[in-house]
Amino acid sequence: MQGADRRARDTGGKTAWKLHIIRQLRHRDRAQHGNFQEFIQSYNKLLEKSVFLKDLTEKIQTDRAQSPGSHHAARISPEGLHIAGYKDADTLQEEISDLRCNNGELAYQVCELSKRVQERDEELKTQKSSISYLSGLVEDHRHQCQCLENEVVQMVCSNADLKEDYDQLLSQRLLLEGQLHEAEEEQRELIEGLTKKKAMEAEQQNNINERRKEEMWTLLVKKALRKTVSAEGDVRHRNSTDLSDCSSMEMSGSPEMEEPCPRKTRSQSMIALGPSRFMGALRSLFDFRKPQDMCSVDDEWYHASSVCVICCPPKRALYSKEIHDSEIHAVKFSPKSKMVATGGADRVVKIWDIVGGQLHCQQVLQGCNGGITSIEFDPSGVQVLAASFDGSAHLWKLDSKSSDKMTGHTGKVTAARFKMSTYRAVTCSMDRTIREWDLPKAACIRCISVPSYCSDVVCSDSYMISGHHDKKIRFWDSRCRLCVREVTLEEKVTSLYMEQEQTQLLSCSRDDALSLLDLRMGSVRMVFRADGFKCGCNWTKAILSPDTSYSMAGSSDGTIFIWNTRTGLLERSLAGEHSASVNAVAWSMSGDYVVSVDRAKKAVVWSEY
């Protein structure tokens, strides 16, 4: 049926265009015939007149040849009536000449019109051939249209089937999302319950510890009041007395036996201490510990690390030198000494000691297959953890010169940090993951997927904080993989720095600003900006001073900017030593020195004096 319909349409189409051509030819014939009808009639009349005049002329010439001129009038008298309207032969001859001229012009016009008719016929043939070609194209297009219509019908049917499948999947997804939401709510409730339970247990334990300490201090004060000490008494006698007291307490089984006996410590300045720092200094002043030879007379004095109570911003450069073969990315002070570590694109970590305001190389740590991005000392200062562009983190032990390598990331590792101990570490990478490591085993124990490229990470007692290129700072619960809080900045984050008390966090971002966050409130407390300060790269690192009174960062033009964290104003800027972008700065725990490194392989030691 479809073939018959198609043949009928084809026959009808061919007949239609033939009839159309015939109608056009007839219309053209009528138009041309009407335009030249007058000329044709005039031409026919002229032909008749020319034939008549030709016959008449031949007859007159014949009569003249046969008879003399005197009888001319008599001979032509029978035809006189017919030629009465003519004046004479000359006039007739002139009219004949005019008619011949007109006849020639009309003949010329007829030739021209014939030529135009031939040209039109040629054009008509060309148009017929083009019409045939276009008719073929029309048929092809009709066939293609039919095929496309069939395909559209099939697509509509398949789309309907896919729509049904999509609706089913959507309903399943909504159901699963509801179940997931319920599971998350249950998990959140469980976590909150566990957190409250742990907090209550910790509070109870703290109360017990406080009571024990109060009892111990009460007992010690009573014993001290019962003693009579002479100004010339023997120190050794007092120590032996204290030792016997400690032994008696252990034998009595009293609560005081759980606390070690006091030791001798160096005094620290109490100037401008806040409440938390005052209590920390007080605890360090009356610190107790349990060495194996507890309360021995021959014990050595414990030398605590020098802690800065008041920091002053540096004023001048003591030392400036190119210390690496390529640009330097990271610098870090040891928490226990004036030892400082640097690392950069030359794939090595160098350990320096500051003597007399100058850097003296003590050790070179090798083994990385890529540039160093960050450096971290453990709390004891004997281990160095470095992140590398080779997709791994490297751990060196300075005392034994041994090294471990932690692999598992598929992208460049941008930061590596110790997790409040020497046995755990956290790394972040460009592969959008954060990994927690067991350092003795060099094994990954947890992996957290993050939604954006992670530029830096820091760790506290209960959570990890990561900075990302999607302008967000995320807080992760250390016990699970949940993001418990997000803080959004104006631009992507380049570095994070958390002070020792874990109450403030300093971030640097590509909007040329440093943001100080209050971790207890979870919000930005202050933003530091300055004319001329520009963040030089995606890994520019900013720091806080040991007493958190100042924030510091290097600019792309080599200037170091220092802000006062109490007022938010620019305290000082150090220029003239660096000629390239400053990538990182470090402040010693004693507050005596600041070291800055740049892209031009140079390190500068700064001091207040």
Side-chain angles (χ1 to χ4, degrees):
M1 291 298 292
Q2 293 181 357
D5 294 339
R6 185 178 296 174
R7 286 195 296 273
R9 286 197 301 270
D10 295 344
T11 304
K14 293 179 180 179
T15 306
W17 68 264
K18 288 181 179 179
L19 293 174
H20 177 70
I21 291 172
I22 292 171
R23 285 195 296 270
Q24 292 293 329
L25 291 174
R26 288 177 179 175
H27 177 71
R28 191 188 70 173
D29 183 65
R30 285 195 298 268
Q32 292 180 356
H33 185 75
N35 293 331
F36 299 103
Q37 186 67 30
E38 183 178 356
F39 293 102
I40 293 171
Q41 291 177 0
S42 300
Y43 179 72
N44 291 332
K45 289 180 180 180
L46 289 173
L47 287 177
E48 292 176 358
K49 290 182 179 180
S50 61
V51 170
F52 171 73
L53 291 175
K54 182 178 179 182
D55 294 338
L56 181 60
T57 303
E58 290 177 353
K59 187 175 181 180
I60 291 172
Q61 290 177 355
T62 304
D63 292 341
R64 285 182 179 178
Q66 291 178 359
S67 61
S70 59
H71 303 288
H72 177 70
R75 292 194 182 101
I76 63 174
S77 58
E79 292 84 8
L81 295 174
H82 182 72
I83 59 174
Y86 298 95
K87 296 180 179 180
D88 50 13
D90 295 333
T91 305
L92 292 174
Q93 193 66 29
E94 291 178 358
E95 290 180 359
I96 291 170
S97 300
D98 294 336
L99 290 174
R100 286 178 178 175
C101 292
N102 293 332
N103 188 14
E105 293 177 358
L106 292 174
Y108 176 75
Q109 293 177 0
V110 169
C111 292
E112 291 292 329
L113 292 174
S114 299
K115 185 176 179 181
R116 291 177 61 185
V117 168
Q118 290 178 357
E119 292 176 354
R120 295 294 177 87
D121 290 338
E122 293 295 332
E123 293 178 0
L124 182 60
K125 290 180 181 180
T126 305
Q127 291 177 356
K128 286 181 179 179
S129 62
S130 62
I131 288 172
S132 301
Y133 174 71
L134 294 174
S135 299
L137 289 178
V138 167
E139 291 299 325
D140 294 338
H141 291 164
R142 285 178 181 173
H143 180 67
Q144 293 178 3
C145 288
Q146 187 65 31
C147 295
L148 292 174
E149 288 176 357
N150 296 332
E151 291 179 359
V152 167
V153 172
Q154 295 177 358
M155 291 291 290
V156 169
C157 296
S158 62
N159 287 338
D161 297 336
L162 292 174
K163 182 66 168 55
E164 293 179 359
D165 297 339
Y166 172 76
D167 293 336
Q168 294 178 359
L169 292 174
L170 183 60
S171 61
Q172 294 177 3
R173 177 200 167 197
L174 294 176
L175 180 61
L176 292 175
E177 284 182 350
Q179 296 176 357
L180 177 62
H181 183 68
E182 293 176 358
E184 288 178 350
E185 290 293 334
E186 293 177 358
Q187 184 180 12
R188 190 176 293 107
E189 291 177 358
L190 289 174
I191 291 173
E192 290 178 356
L194 290 174
T195 304
K196 291 180 180 178
K197 184 177 179 182
K198 291 291 185 182
M200 292 175 63
E201 291 177 356
E203 187 176 358
Q204 292 176 0
Q205 188 64 35
N206 290 335
N207 294 332
I208 294 172
N209 294 336
E210 291 294 333
R211 287 197 300 270
R212 289 178 179 176
K213 288 181 181 180
E214 289 177 0
E215 293 173 359
M216 182 191 67
W217 285 112
T218 303
L219 181 61
L220 290 176
V221 169
K222 289 181 180 179
K223 289 183 178 181
L225 292 175
R226 287 198 299 268
K227 293 179 182 179
T228 302
V229 182
S230 175
E232 298 177 355
D234 188 7
V235 177
R236 185 177 298 273
H237 176 71
R238 289 200 301 272
N239 289 340
S240 62
T241 305
D242 293 340
L243 180 59
S244 62
D245 291 340
C246 292
S247 301
S248 63
M249 284 189 292
E250 290 181 359
M251 295 299 293
S252 63
S254 61
E256 292 83 358
M257 64 177 294
E258 298 180 1
E259 297 292 336
C261 63
R263 60 176 173 82
K264 299 172 184 178
T265 59
R266 55 179 293 187
S267 62
Q268 297 181 356
S269 174
M270 299 296 156
I271 301 175
L273 283 173
S276 61
R277 293 197 185 93
F278 177 76
M279 293 303 298
L282 185 61
R283 283 194 292 269
S284 66
L285 184 61
F286 296 101
D287 193 12
F288 293 86
R289 62 175 181 169
K290 278 187 180 178
Q292 293 184 356
D293 54 345
M294 182 194 281
C295 300
S296 174
V297 177
D298 298 328
D299 281 350
E300 295 182 358
W301 285 31
Y302 175 73
H303 296 281
S305 61
S306 58
V307 178
C308 176
V309 178
I310 298 178
C311 281
C312 295
K315 297 179 180 179
R316 65 186 187 91
L318 301 179
Y319 178 81
S320 177
K321 186 179 179 181
E322 294 184 1
I323 60 174
H324 279 262
D325 297 333
S326 185
E327 65 175 293
I328 309 173
H329 295 156
V331 60
K332 189 71 175 182
F333 269 98
S334 171
K336 296 294 184 180
S337 64
K338 295 180 181 179
M339 185 184 301
V340 63
T342 59
D346 57 357
R347 305 179 182 181
V348 297
V349 175
K350 293 186 178 182
I351 307 299
W352 309 83
D353 194 12
I354 298 181
V355 179
Q358 296 186 354
L359 294 175
H360 296 271
C361 185
Q362 301 295 325
Q363 196 172 350
V364 178
L365 307 177
Q366 299 179 348
C368 293
N369 297 322
I372 304 298
T373 58
S374 74
I375 301 174
E376 183 82 1
F377 280 94
D378 73 328
S380 63
V382 298
Q383 294 187 106
V384 175
L385 181 65
S388 175
F389 280 159
D390 62 0
S392 61
H394 298 261
L395 178 67
W396 290 276
K397 296 180 181 179
L398 301 181
D399 51 358
S400 61
K401 298 184 179 179
S402 62
S403 63
D404 292 322
K405 184 177 182 180
M406 288 158 285
T407 60
H409 285 289
T410 59
K412 297 178 181 179
V413 180
T414 55
R417 299 283 184 266
F418 286 99
K419 192 180 178 184
M420 305 307 295
S421 70
T422 59
Y423 305 106
R424 291 286 186 270
V426 175
T427 59
C428 61
S429 171
M430 292 180 66
D431 61 2
R432 298 187 178 185
T433 60
I434 298 174
R435 293 178 181 265
E436 185 176 349
W437 302 85
D438 186 344
L439 295 180
K441 299 179 181 179
C444 179
I445 59 177
R446 183 168 51 170
C447 180
I448 302 175
S449 297
V450 297
S452 176
Y453 161 63
C454 187
S455 58
D456 203 355
V457 64
V458 293
C459 304
S460 68
D461 295 331
S462 58
Y463 49 80
M464 297 176 293
I465 309 173
S466 57
H468 300 268
H469 275 204
D470 62 354
K471 310 176 186 179
K472 291 185 178 181
I473 299 175
R474 292 180 170 87
F475 295 74
W476 305 90
D477 194 326
S478 297
R479 296 160 295 184
C480 59
R481 302 181 182 181
L482 295 178
C483 179
V484 297
R485 188 188 306 164
E486 289 184 353
V487 177
T488 304
L489 301 182
E490 296 296 329
E491 268 296 339
K492 53 188 176 183
V493 182
T494 64
S495 72
L496 298 175
Y497 185 89
M498 184 166 57
E499 48 91 19
Q500 289 185 342
E501 294 183 2
Q502 302 178 6
T503 59
Q504 297 184 92
L505 178 72
L506 181 69
S507 69
C508 181
S509 54
R510 288 308 298 256
D511 60 343
D512 305 329
L514 275 63
S515 302
L516 187 62
L517 283 75
D518 189 338
L519 297 180
R520 294 165 295 188
M521 301 298 294
S523 60
V524 178
R525 185 173 69 87
M526 192 174 296
V527 178
F528 306 106
R529 298 180 185 271
D531 294 337
F533 175 72
K534 184 174 179 60
C535 186
C537 60
N538 290 336
W539 53 86
T540 299
K541 295 176 176 60
I543 62 168
L544 289 169
S545 62
D547 63 347
T548 68
S549 297
Y550 303 98
S551 61
M552 177 186 296
S555 178
S556 60
D557 61 353
T559 305
I560 298 175
F561 290 81
I562 305 172
W563 290 270
N564 192 312
T565 57
R566 295 184 177 87
T567 63
L569 301 177
L570 182 65
E571 184 76 17
R572 186 173 299 166
S573 60
L574 307 174
E577 294 295 332
H578 291 285
S579 59
S581 176
V582 177
N583 290 332
V585 290
W587 206 319
S588 65
M589 294 302 297
S590 62
D592 297 332
Y593 299 104
V594 171
V595 177
S596 57
V597 294
D598 63 13
R599 285 188 174 182
K601 306 177 285 186
K602 181 186 289 186
V604 180
V605 180
W606 305 85
S607 176
E608 177 191 1
Y609 308 107

